[in-house]
Each structure stands twice: as C-alpha cells, then as structure tokens.
C-alpha cells in the first residue's frame, strides 16, 4: 500500500511545485501529523499539505491518485483510534486553512462552514446570534474532522451526534471529483443519503471540504449538579430512571473514582474521590425548576445523597472543563504512561449491567483503569494506563478491550459509540457487522477506486 | 430491462414451486400492485409474491437474479412518485406477511418490527406503554415502505423523519445476501452508515425486512388550533415567527382555500373556505399554556384573527383526519380527475416567498390546483387535478412542476422533501445533485450488480 520510491518522489515534486511552501516535508511537521491522541503506533506521512480551498484539495487528490500515493485527511489530530496516523506514509492533507465561516443563516438556524473551522471558533462567532452548534467531543476539533469521525460527546443525549446535526456536505472523492450532497432544506427525499454515508467514513471515502450545519437556540437556562456516592450501581440505576422520565436532560455523565482522582490532580477540584454523576438540565427556567424537583425526589428514592448544584456559571464551567480534560488528566496517575482508551455503547437499560461487569473485569487487570461515560446515551469509555513499549501491558489492555467489546455486543450494543474504528477496532467491526463490512468495502471501491484514501483504516 | 419471455417463464415456475399459492399471477392481484396513489402510469408486474420471512425474500431475490427478472418491493402502495409501479414487469414482492412485532423495549424506547407492520398497527400495539412511533405520512403505510421512501409528514417538525427514527435495519441485497446494519445502541461510530443509505433508497439497493425503531413518550398534553385568514402571506409570516420562537410545536400545517374546499366536501367540516393554518403544541400542560399565550399574542402582532382551539379530542382528531385526507378529498373537486401531486422543501425562512411565487404561477395554469404544506419544515405539496389521458393537461402540469422545482432549488431547497424521486423526479434529481447522482449509481451497482432491484426508479 506504501507508494514506490519513484512514485513518491514524482508526486512530492508535483505537490511542491503546485503548493510551494504549503507542501512541507520537514521532519517536525511530519511528526506533528503522525499520530492522534490515542495509543496506536504513529505513522509518519511523507509530506504535509495545506490546501486553501476545495479545488486545491481536488488537485492534490488527482496528483496523488496518478502516482498511487496515500492521502490522509487531517483535522486537528484529536481523535482516539489512530484515524490520522499515516500507516503507509503518503500525504497528510491538513485542512486548517480551509477556515472560512461562509454564511450564518440565523433565521433558518443553519450555517455553511469550511472543514477546517474549529467548533469553538464557530461558537464564538455565533455568540451574538442566540444560537450555537451543540456537538462537543471535548477537544476543540475541526468540524470536518468531527463529521468524518461521527463525533458526539456529552451533548448528544440532548442534540444528537454529527449524524443528526449536519444538513449537507461538500467533499472531494478519491477520483478527485468534488460533490455536494444536499442543500439547506431541513428534510429531503432526493436520492441516496450521501451526507450520512460520508459522516463517519473516517477519510476513507472522501475528504470533507465544507459542511452545512444545523444550529440550536442557546437554552434559556442551564443547571448542573453533581451527585457522589460509593455505590456506583445506585448512581447508574438513578441515571436510567432519570432518562426514562423524559426530562430536559442536557448532559448525564459518570466519572468513576479513578477518573475523579485524576481530575483532582489536574484541575485541583478537591472532589471526594468517589464515583460521581454530573447532570445538567437545560430549558426554560420554569421547566428546569420542575426537572430539578423531580431529580431531587428521585435521588431520595435511590438513597443517594442530595445533588450539589453548581452555584455560579464559573462553578459549572469548572466542572465541565474538568470532565472534558479527563483524557489529559489520567496520565498524571502514572507519569510516562499513555492512555489506552476505548469506548462502547449499549442500550441505556443495560448500561448499569455493562459497567458493573466491566468494573469487575478491570479489577482483575494489573493496570490503572478508569471509566467515564455519557450515561444518557449508554456510551462509556474505558481508559487503561499502559507503557506502550511493554508488550505484556499492551496485551493485557487489548485482552480487556476484547472482553469489553464482547460484553457490549452481547448486550445488543456497538463496539464504538463515538471514537470510530480507525486502526484499533477493525476486527471488532467485523464481529459486530458481519457481511455488512463487505458491502462497506464495495462502496469504498466506488468512491476511491485507487484505494489511496486513508488506507488501513476501518477495513 | 424487461426479462426475456423464456427467463420470465422459468423464474415464475421456480417461484411457484417455492411459494405455492403465495406466488400469484392472477390479473386482479397484479393490477393491485401496478400503481401507487400518484399520477404516474401504472406498470403491471408479472407476478406477486408474499414471502413470510427474510430468508424467503432472499430466496426470491436469488431466483430472480438468476433469471434476470426485476423485483419491486411493495409495502402498501401509498406512495406518490410511482415507486412501486412495475415499469419493466417482473415480480412484486409484497411484504404484508412480514407482519410480526418482534420486541418492544419500553425501557430503551425502541422496538424491532418486520417490514410489513403498518404504523397504526404498531401504535395500537404500543397503547399501554406510554410510547408511540411518531412518523406519520398520513396513509397507514408499512414501516418498511416508510423507511424505503424516507417518509415524514406533519410530525417531522418535532420528531424528524424516518432518517432520524430508525436505529437499524435488516435488508436483503440484490445479491440475495441478508445484512444487518446495526443494533439498538442509541449511537454508534462503527463503520459506514448503511442504515441511512438504505433509508430513502426506494427499493433500489435492497429490500428492507426488519427495522429497529426509536419510540417516543406520548406527550402529556396536546392542543390544536386553526387560524383562518384570506391573507396567506400573513399566515406564513406568522408561521415563520412561531418556528423561530422555539416553542413546543408538534405540527404546523397550511391548507390553501382550494384544499379547504375539498376537505369540506369530503369530511363535511364546514370550515370557512380561506387559507387555514393548523398548529399543534405538545408537551407538559404548563409548557403548553405558555406556548399558547405566546401564539395568541403573536397572532395579534400579525393582525390575524384569534386562533380557534379544538375544544375536545374529537374536534382535534376530526381536523387532523381532514388534513390527512386532502389527497383523497381533492378529486371531489373534479370528478374523474387524478391528482398530479408533487412536493418541494426550502429553508423555512424562504417558504413564504416560495409559496407566494407558486400561487402566482398556479393562478396562470388552467387546472384546479391546491397547496398544502408542512410549513414548520419548509415542505409543501402542490396538487393539480388532471385528466391523465389529456396530453395537454399532463403537459401543463409537468411544466408547472418544472417551474416549481426550479424555484425551490433557486431558494437553496430540494426537489422533494418527502415523496422521493421514483419515476417522476429523475431529471430533477440530476439538476439538484449533479455529479452526486453518478456516485449514487455506482453504489447501486455494488448492492445490486444484476440491476434487478426496482429498475427505472431514482435513475
């Protein structure tokens, strides 16, 4: 799959003459594009290109296709399954300079942006409109990368994932062709849903260059509480009951005691080191009051301590910032280690069982391990702190990962709720989807006949 | 594309020996499967098969593929764009006997059903659970057919279309292979989104045999009002303002004066024959009261008469039943005529402009024409009453249709919001999607290499 020396040389020469300094073969630049935030082995691209518009992306693809050189679309590198690692070398196409916010249609609550725009940049831009873009994977990722990996995060319980929040895309296929998959209409029955097909395709079908996004009104009010208890089972049962009551839940997150310990080290929060539930309600002030009253009385029913409400917006932000930074905090528990992080998703009614069994399993593994979860969606993450150079540790982590996926699938779940397949879950995808993987591969050959788009990922 | 005499004969012999009386070549049975409720010319299938499970569907596909005989999946025949008409003959596969409700998971608010289950049957079955399936295209369609055509209807403004309400599918591809596209997890990043690819593929990629559906809690309260005024522009401007206020709108529908006249004839409602807005709020009783107060004061701002609230649940049902039966009512305005019905969808902020221009255009066409719309989604329908045997009338209607699509596309809309492409909009799909249609066709060849699944539709 790696390009021949001669092809690569000719390809890079063409790219350099086309893009000048926007095509770099410098070692440090290449290393910045060699790995994401996951635990997978890095893969060094041979060059990094910075196109400024879709036509330039198309030209890059056309050049690489002619020389059969791999292309890896790069957003910000904040993924977890090694999606942007250049396993077979080739050209990393960094979309950071496709950074225009093209139009905001406040009346229709939608916008067109280029793929390199980051979600926080968009939300800052939207500040005076009363609207925001709700999908929030934690990192300040690019919107194109978020679409490519079908990102979600804590807000998905209320607003859905990228799947529900993208109206249309522009993308460059592996043939170099630029397509648009739809327009701004809220619904359409016009042909196959290429938008959803590209969302989650991890750069293997095309390179997303523009997105039309749905925006949401900023809620009138937000209230966040934490509930801490040693009894994780009660916290989970309480969560399921909350979900089933149909309240205005904006976020519903669990951190286990290990994650809380890491977060304390990182953000100096001084939380009791117990399993912790974070719950946020959003809506009108009146609706929130009713929801809170219900949540309080339900906590009593489950013999849980009284929820502690964040007193100020700053308190609230601090809690969520800490939650978002769990992945950065955890290595503090074992300096020098790397996080082996994975995620699964099960039907909400099964999440207590799945987490209980997973905690029992992890207790038997000789590694520091933690669980955090988007409980409201049935989605949780397991992190194991490993020394990636220690074969035995990698093997222990991989075996625990295997058992986790098996457990989730046995509960009618999926091998990944939001991190994607990338390099790490290819075997699991097959286990979950069976023959459907063959038809996915067949689709891939039509979008990318030369098989140059992000080789070695998903399949 | 039509099978040769010899192939057809051999194919039907095999099917008869496989299915016995569940494979019929009787003329009346074939005629029942020759056309949907739209205006397109019928297409008589050569046989109608009634499989009872996915494995039988797979066997039928395998037999037809071997003899290169077209297969048309048939739900209830309530479509509008001729999707089930057997344009090249072949075998109509009626899924009515795949009618099992397999499991209801009330705690997770989801269910698995077979493709032939009708939406009203499911909702009756759910009556005691406090849950319902919200997508409602009007007709009591089969859920498989609704997925295949990406159906929506008045509830889409609140709950989305089939795209948002199907978690996973089982389908038989054109190769005879049975695939499953996912499980019950609320979200997943596992590979390409084959679920959404099959939804809206109109039987050209596979035959849907099972669906996992998302269910919704029955709202605590519903309140419906009608507002009537000669000034359609004010009604539309009011609608847009209502939408933008972010209330708990469950439905927001417009009928023009011609549609109201038809509905009066059909359902004896005695409504004033004026443009009419139907608006329904759902939610908690308290939230609805607040929404209603806002809606009332907004109506004053737009100089509209006071909304008239349905006093009883029966009043409410009568109004919605009338709205749903517009398509059956309209032919009463010209006995013997057939409805030439089409739909487009534009961004909500453009719908007033689009409907105003369309009304002006229709006024110049010498046919009875009406507009009804799902205003909250920017989606509306135009119906023209034609004598399908009068070439001139067909030409007039087609020309008006062309101008309508052109108008919608110029406003960043789509050539169909919910009826699909079928036979009637193939040229428009190309106009809207350009080169994307080529990649759709390329996908088709992978799902259906023998090109036997519903030939002549979409492309």
């Amino acid at each position: 799959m790696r390009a021949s020396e001669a092809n690569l040389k000719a390809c890079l020469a063409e790219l350099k003459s086309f893009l000048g300094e926007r095509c770099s073969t410098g070692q440090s630049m290449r290393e910045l594009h060699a790995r994401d935030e996951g635990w997978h082995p890095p893969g060094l691209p041979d060059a990094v290109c910075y196109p400024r518009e879709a036509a330039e992306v198309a030209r890059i693809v056309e050049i690489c296709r002619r020389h059969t050189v791999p292309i890896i679309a790069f957003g910000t590198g904040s993924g977890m399954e090694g999606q942007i690692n250049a396993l077979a070398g080739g050209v990393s196409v960094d979309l950071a300079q496709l950074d225009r916010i093209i139009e905001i249609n406040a009346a229709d609550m939608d916008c067109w942006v280029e793929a390199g725009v980051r979600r926080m940049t968009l939300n800052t831009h939207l500040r005076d409109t009363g609207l925001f873009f709700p999908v929030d994977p934690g990192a300040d990722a690019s919107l194109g990368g978020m679409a490519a990996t079908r990102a979600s995060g804590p807000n998905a319980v209320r607003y859905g994932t990228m799947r529900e929040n993208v109206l249309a895309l522009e993308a460059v296929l592996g043939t170099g062709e630029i397509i648009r998959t739809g327009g701004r209409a809220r619904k359409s029955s016009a042909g196959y849903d290429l938008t959803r097909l590209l969302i989650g395709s991890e750069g293997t079908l095309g390179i997303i260059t523009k997105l039309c996004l749905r925006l949401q009104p900023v809620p009138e009010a937000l209230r966040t509480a934490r509930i801490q208890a040693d009894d994780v089972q009660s916290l989970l049962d309480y969560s399921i009951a909350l979900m089933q009551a149909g309240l205005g839940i904006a976020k519903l997150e669990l951190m286990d005691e290990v994650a809380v310990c890491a977060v304390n080290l990182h953000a100096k929060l001084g939380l009791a080191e117990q399993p912790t539930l974070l719950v946020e309600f959003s809506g009108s002030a009146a609706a929130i009051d009713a929801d809170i009253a219900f949540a309080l009385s339900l906590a009593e029913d489950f013999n849980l301590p009284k929820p502690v409400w964040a007193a100020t917006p700053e308190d609230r932000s601090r809690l969520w910032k800490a939650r978002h930074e769990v992945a950065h905090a955890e290595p503090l528990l074992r300096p020098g280690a790397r996080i082996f992080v994975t995620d699964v998703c099960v039907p909400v009614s099964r999440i207590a069982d799945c987490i209980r069994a997973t905690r029992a399993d992890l207790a038997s593994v000789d590694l520091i391990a933690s669980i955090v979860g988007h409980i409201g969606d049935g989605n949780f993450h397991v992190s194991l702190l490993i020394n990636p150079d220690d074969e035995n540790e990698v093997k222990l982590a991989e075996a625990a990962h295997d058992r986790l996926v098996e457990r989730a699938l046995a509960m009618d779940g999926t091998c990944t709720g939001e991190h994607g397949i990338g390099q790490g879950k290819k075997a699991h995808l097959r286990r979950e989807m069976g023959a459907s993987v063959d038809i996915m591969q067949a689709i891939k050959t039509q979008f990318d006949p030369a098989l140059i788009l992000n080789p070695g990922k998903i399949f």
Side-chain angles (χ1 to χ4, degrees), chain A:
Chain A
M1 249 170 335
R2 197 171 277 277
S4 72
E5 279 296 323
N7 276 8
L8 186 61
K9 203 172 149 193
C11 179
L12 296 187
E14 268 196 64
L15 288 172
K16 285 226 168 209
S17 113
F18 171 43
L19 294 166
E21 293 197 343
R22 291 189 285 121
C23 172
S24 162
T25 50
Q27 182 72 12
S28 63
M29 182 62 92
R30 290 164 59 203
E31 277 172 7
L32 279 173
H33 291 78
R35 79 181 312 163
D36 63 10
E37 295 182 9
W39 61 278
H40 301 282
L44 203 63
D46 297 295
V48 179
C49 290
Y50 282 92
R52 286 190 180 140
E53 54 186 44
E56 288 190 350
V57 175
R59 178 82 191 281
I60 294 168
V61 171
E62 185 270 317
I63 292 170
C64 289
R65 189 182 51 73
R66 204 153 17 79
H67 298 290
T68 325
V69 170
I71 301 182
I72 305 95
F74 184 99
T76 59
S78 58
M80 291 294 183
E81 287 293 346
Q83 280 99 340
I84 55 87
N85 304 14
L87 297 182
V91 177
S92 179
V93 177
D94 188 322
L95 297 154
Q97 295 186 22
L98 273 82
D99 61 355
R100 277 157 289 218
I101 294 173
I102 301 163
E103 60 178 41
I104 307 286
N105 303 297
D108 293 311
M109 302 201 292
D110 67 45
C111 67
W112 273 103
V113 299
E114 286 188 328
V117 173
R118 291 176 178 228
R119 65 174 186 86
M120 289 186 188
T121 308
L122 175 61
N123 278 328
T124 303
H125 186 90
L126 289 169
R127 215 163 26 193
D128 298 330
T129 63
L131 301 171
F132 78 119
F133 182 68
V135 185
D136 171 5
D140 188 17
S142 71
L143 292 157
M146 287 168 60
T149 55
R150 206 181 290 135
S152 51
N155 290 339
V157 66
R158 175 74 175 242
Y159 296 105
T161 71
M162 288 303 277
R163 184 173 72 192
E164 286 80 24
N165 288 284
V166 176
L167 283 167
L169 295 170
E170 178 192 81
V172 178
L173 308 188
T175 53
E177 191 164 35
I178 302 174
I179 64 163
R180 226 178 88 163
T181 64
R184 298 202 298 117
R186 281 169 65 107
K187 61 187 206 187
S188 171
S189 289
Y192 302 164
D193 190 344
L194 300 180
T195 308
R196 253 50 58 178
L197 188 58
L198 285 163
I199 292 171
S201 65
E202 303 186 8
T204 64
L205 295 180
I207 300 176
I208 295 168
T209 48
K210 283 197 191 95
L211 307 92
C212 184
L213 303 172
R214 288 185 74 150
L215 304 173
Q216 298 288 340
V218 175
E220 185 183 323
L222 287 173
R223 289 291 299 282
T224 305
R226 63 173 199 268
I227 310 180
Q228 299 197 283
D230 284 327
D231 179 7
V232 73
Q233 189 64 34
S234 294
L235 289 176
L236 289 168
D237 292 340
Y238 173 69
S239 302
I240 294 173
L242 265 187
M243 275 304 292
Q244 290 172 354
L247 312 180
I249 290 176
K251 300 178 186 171
L252 184 53
E253 299 284 306
L254 176 81
M255 293 190 283
D256 73 0
E257 59 277 26
V258 181
V260 171
C261 178
V263 154
N264 273 345
L265 282 173
H266 187 254
K268 315 262 179 298
L269 283 188
L271 293 172
E273 286 172 9
Q274 288 179 300
T276 301
L277 203 64
L278 300 178
V279 53
E280 184 163 286
F281 293 101
S282 72
S284 68
I288 287 189
D289 286 345
D291 287 352
I292 287 180
F294 182 87
L296 286 170
S297 91
L298 194 68
E300 274 178 42
D301 296 348
F302 282 84
N303 293 315
L304 288 169
K306 239 183 144 82
V308 180
W309 299 91
T312 64
E314 292 70 31
D315 279 358
R316 200 192 137 255
S317 296
R318 201 154 37 232
L319 265 183
W320 288 120
K321 189 155 184 293
R323 163 63 191 90
H324 271 333
E325 289 179 354
V326 164
H328 295 131
E330 282 178 334
L332 298 178
L333 298 172
R334 184 182 169 191
R338 206 159 168 103
I339 298 194
F340 181 113
V341 61
T342 183
D343 86 310
V344 294
C345 187
V346 295
V348 175
S349 68
R350 306 306 305 274
I351 194 162
D353 292 342
C354 196
I355 289 183
R356 186 180 47 225
T358 302
R359 280 167 67 88
D361 185 10
L362 293 175
S364 75
V365 178
D366 193 19
L367 290 168
I368 298 176
S370 71
I371 290 178
V372 298
H374 310 309
I375 300 301
D377 283 322
N379 180 207
F380 69 96
H381 305 256
V382 171
S383 302
L384 297 137
L385 290 173
I386 60 166
N387 169 358
D389 300 324
D390 182 329
E391 263 182 44
N392 185 46
E393 291 197 5
V394 173
K395 233 153 82 183
L396 283 176
E398 282 181 344
H401 179 203
D402 269 2
R403 295 191 298 275
L404 172 66
V405 169
E406 200 171 314
R407 196 175 301 126
L409 295 184
M411 293 182 176
D412 237 348
T414 176
C415 69
T416 174
E418 58 181 27
H419 287 177
I421 301 299
Q423 305 174 43
K425 300 223 174 180
K426 297 196 277 186
H428 301 308
L429 178 67
R430 173 66 68 172
R431 207 183 332 171
E432 177 176 342
M433 291 286 189
S436 292
V437 180
D438 299 325
I439 193 76
M440 292 180 197
Q441 277 186 290
I443 292 170
K444 156 92 174 160
T445 63
Q446 302 303 302
F447 279 73
D448 176 27
L451 303 179
I452 53 171
L453 292 181
N454 210 5
K457 312 301 165 57
I458 301 188
F459 309 110

